[in-house]
Amino acid sequence: MRRMHIQNVEPGMMLGKTLYGDNYEVLLNTGVVLTEDYINRLKNRGFIKVYIDDEETADVVIKDPISDKIRIMATKDILKTYELTQSAIVNIEADTAESIIKSINTPKIKNAFQESQPFKQMCKDINSFVDELMNENILSGLNSIRSFDNYTFEHSVDTAVLSIIIAKKLFFNKDKLRQIAIGEFLHDIGKIFIDEKIINKPGKLTAEEYEQVKQHPAYGYELLKDIDNIGEASRHIPYQHHERQDGKGYPRGLRGNNKIDDSSSVGYTEQDKFIMIAEIAAIADVYDACISDRPYRKGLSPDFVYELIKSGSGTQFNRELVDCFLGVMPKYPVGSEVRIKNGIYKDFTGVVISLNIQQLSKPKVKLLCDAKKNKIKPFEIDLSSDSTMDMECIC
Ligand SMILES: [Fe+2]
Ligand SMILES: [Fe+2]
């Protein structure tokens, strides 16, 4: 199986992973042979990448860290929690941050959120979500193919997956992992109090609009702050996920110490330091947001975003946590189409077929086309045995 840009998909190719619509109805099942009509309809629905099963990559197994069933369950819990809370704010007239915070703290909104069935269901379902991730120690990539309308909810699920895999490496207990899951599921819920036109604006935000967006962590915190049984991390992930190590983040300009020193505690040690769980969330949030396709732009390639996180180490992100991230997330996800950049196979293209656990960034690749884009008899190369070979993702 391989991930392919929809522009390169041709009639006759076989779908490798089921595609779902906005309400999680099955659009096309695994194994369906794509026709021109299907491909056009997928393009019209905004799908940019799909998984394709073909003979050349039949041996490539792309493992999703969570099952479709759990993924859909979690995404629906988030979607419904957002919807119900949103329905309580339709007639609220508040335009300043202070007045919005005041209205979040009214019983009408608090109850619509806390007492809602979907939120209660989410708190229950979180157990099976965390359980499924207990056996995963590394990711082969974040593989979800998303429908655009549900970006926020699917982004929330994938940031939870990545954060939990990192936190597991740091030996967080199951209760903390549950708190992380709830916090990540709801990390952007504060955005419902901001004008949708600003949130979905494709172009650059004005300074005034950006100031409004920067309030969403505080709004999310206000909504969650007095729920007893969800734990401290759950509310501080929404509050702190845009903070930075160098104090230049928002909303409070907290600082980090670039160390893993807080794995047993989620409480504050210093007033102005942000908590480690939120430092993990900050990495997961940027990684997933950057690789995601949006209606107005294709996602950045995973290898590029991997380097982006690395370059933010120490300033934007906790240095020791970035090292931890690099130990669980491969630079080139399994199933990615890649192009060799140097050496005797320069400009040959192929697919990442498996990871080397010792050297996650040096996977095995099956080359399928030569530099002139002609199909060749496929053969495998192992990047871990050639330290000079360099490549890039092309999908
Ligand atoms: Fe956010
Ligand atoms: Fe986010």
Side-chain angles (χ1 to χ4, degrees):
M1 198 192 315
R2 62 170 123 176
R3 188 171 39 245
M4 258 188 152
H5 197 288
I6 193 83
Q7 300 297 356
N8 300 329
V9 175
E10 291 169 6
M13 289 181 170
M14 193 195 281
L15 198 62
K17 280 193 180 201
T18 303
L19 293 175
Y20 297 93
D22 295 339
N23 296 309
Y24 297 95
E25 72 285 9
V26 171
L27 287 181
L28 287 175
N29 248 318
T30 305
V32 162
V33 176
L34 294 169
T35 60
E36 193 150 359
D37 182 43
Y38 281 155
I39 297 169
N40 286 334
R41 280 203 258 171
L42 291 176
K43 281 182 190 163
N44 290 339
R45 274 183 175 259
F47 284 97
I48 291 186
K49 293 165 198 155
V50 292
Y51 285 95
I52 294 295
D53 243 339
D54 57 14
E55 211 179 308
E56 291 162 328
T57 57
D59 51 345
V60 181
V61 182
I62 302 174
K63 203 168 156 249
D64 197 326
I66 46 170
S67 62
D68 277 11
K69 185 176 156 228
I70 294 288
R71 180 180 286 283
I72 290 170
M73 176 195 78
T75 316
K76 278 186 170 170
D77 285 344
I78 302 168
L79 183 155
K80 286 187 203 151
T81 303
Y82 264 66
E83 272 179 2
L84 260 164
T85 316
Q86 216 153 11
S87 65
I89 59 174
V90 234
N91 294 322
I92 301 247
E93 302 251 336
D95 45 11
T96 62
E98 290 76 31
S99 59
I100 291 171
I101 287 177
K102 221 169 157 189
S103 44
I104 293 173
N105 282 294
T106 56
K108 187 184 174 209
I109 293 184
K110 274 281 153 86
N111 292 341
F113 172 68
Q114 295 182 11
E115 301 303 325
S116 74
Q117 201 45 44
F119 176 63
K120 289 181 178 166
Q121 191 62 42
M122 177 192 296
C123 294
K124 276 189 207 154
D125 290 344
I126 224 88
N127 291 314
S128 19
F129 179 79
V130 172
D131 281 347
E132 277 211 354
L133 288 168
M134 288 318 282
N135 295 325
E136 303 295 329
N137 296 317
I138 55 163
L139 292 161
S140 54
L142 286 178
N143 306 315
S144 60
I145 298 282
R146 296 167 181 178
S147 57
F148 286 127
D149 286 354
N150 293 340
Y151 164 76
T152 303
F153 320 121
E154 295 175 13
H155 161 67
S156 303
V157 172
D158 276 327
T159 52
V161 169
L162 177 50
S163 294
I164 287 174
I165 299 294
I166 295 174
K168 246 166 55 72
K169 207 174 154 79
L170 301 169
F171 305 107
F172 279 84
N173 66 31
K174 229 173 165 179
D175 180 51
K176 295 276 162 56
L177 299 182
R178 276 190 219 106
Q179 293 187 31
I180 292 175
I182 295 190
E184 286 289 20
F185 282 6
L186 299 172
H187 76 273
D188 278 331
I189 195 160
K191 286 185 180 173
I192 65 173
F193 301 102
I194 298 165
D195 188 347
E196 232 175 307
K197 284 192 211 93
I198 298 177
I199 297 296
N200 296 325
K201 186 174 171 181
K204 205 172 179 301
L205 298 177
T206 64
E208 204 258 326
E209 288 167 342
Y210 187 46
E211 282 311 309
Q212 289 192 46
V213 171
K214 278 160 72 176
Q215 296 301 325
H216 78 272
Y219 298 158
Y221 174 73
E222 291 294 329
L223 192 63
L224 286 152
K225 70 178 181 191
D226 39 23
I227 305 175
D228 290 334
N229 53 358
I230 57 169
E232 200 70 6
S234 303
R235 38 189 155 261
H236 284 285
I237 287 177
Y239 204 7
Q240 302 183 23
H241 68 281
H242 288 292
E243 300 287 0
R244 296 170 48 113
Q245 293 298 299
D246 57 11
K248 292 180 181 162
Y250 62 85
R252 290 180 292 167
L254 303 178
R255 285 180 173 275
N257 64 3
N258 276 308
K259 290 198 172 0
I260 294 174
D261 62 356
D262 196 15
S263 56
S264 60
S265 159
V266 289
Y268 289 108
T269 45
E270 296 160 49
Q271 196 64 58
D272 60 349
K273 180 191 177 304
F274 73 125
I275 61 172
M276 201 173 83
I277 284 178
E279 294 178 306
I280 298 173
I283 296 174
D285 186 49
V286 170
Y287 181 84
D288 186 72
C290 288
I291 62 164
S292 301
D293 296 323
R294 304 304 310 274
Y296 44 87
R297 64 145 173 85
K298 181 177 166 293
L300 299 170
S301 63
D303 54 336
F304 182 82
V305 181
Y306 178 96
E307 291 297 334
L308 204 71
I309 300 282
K310 251 169 110 174
S311 68
S313 172
T315 50
Q316 185 168 2
F317 308 117
N318 179 318
R319 189 176 297 120
E320 292 188 358
L321 285 177
V322 169
D323 292 342
C324 192
F325 162 83
L326 302 178
V328 301
M329 179 61 82
K331 183 172 178 178
Y332 311 97
V334 176
S336 304
E337 297 200 302
V338 289
R339 186 178 67 83
I340 308 293
K341 284 166 75 176
N342 59 357
I344 48 167
Y345 301 124
K346 188 173 184 300
D347 291 330
F348 278 50
T349 54
V351 172
V352 175
I353 54 172
S354 63
L355 300 174
N356 283 304
I357 303 300
Q358 304 307 328
Q359 294 185 73
L360 273 189
S361 296
K362 302 265 177 198
K364 287 194 181 117
V365 173
K366 189 185 263 186
L367 293 179
L368 304 171
C369 290
D370 66 15
K372 289 185 178 135
K373 298 192 168 82
N374 297 318
K375 279 196 173 189
I376 51 173
K377 189 165 179 270
F379 63 96
E380 288 177 21
I381 52 169
D382 186 343
L383 267 78
S384 68
S385 55
D386 184 342
S387 60
T388 57
M389 194 179 286
D390 197 12
M391 63 180 192
E392 63 183 359
C393 291
I394 51 176
C395 178

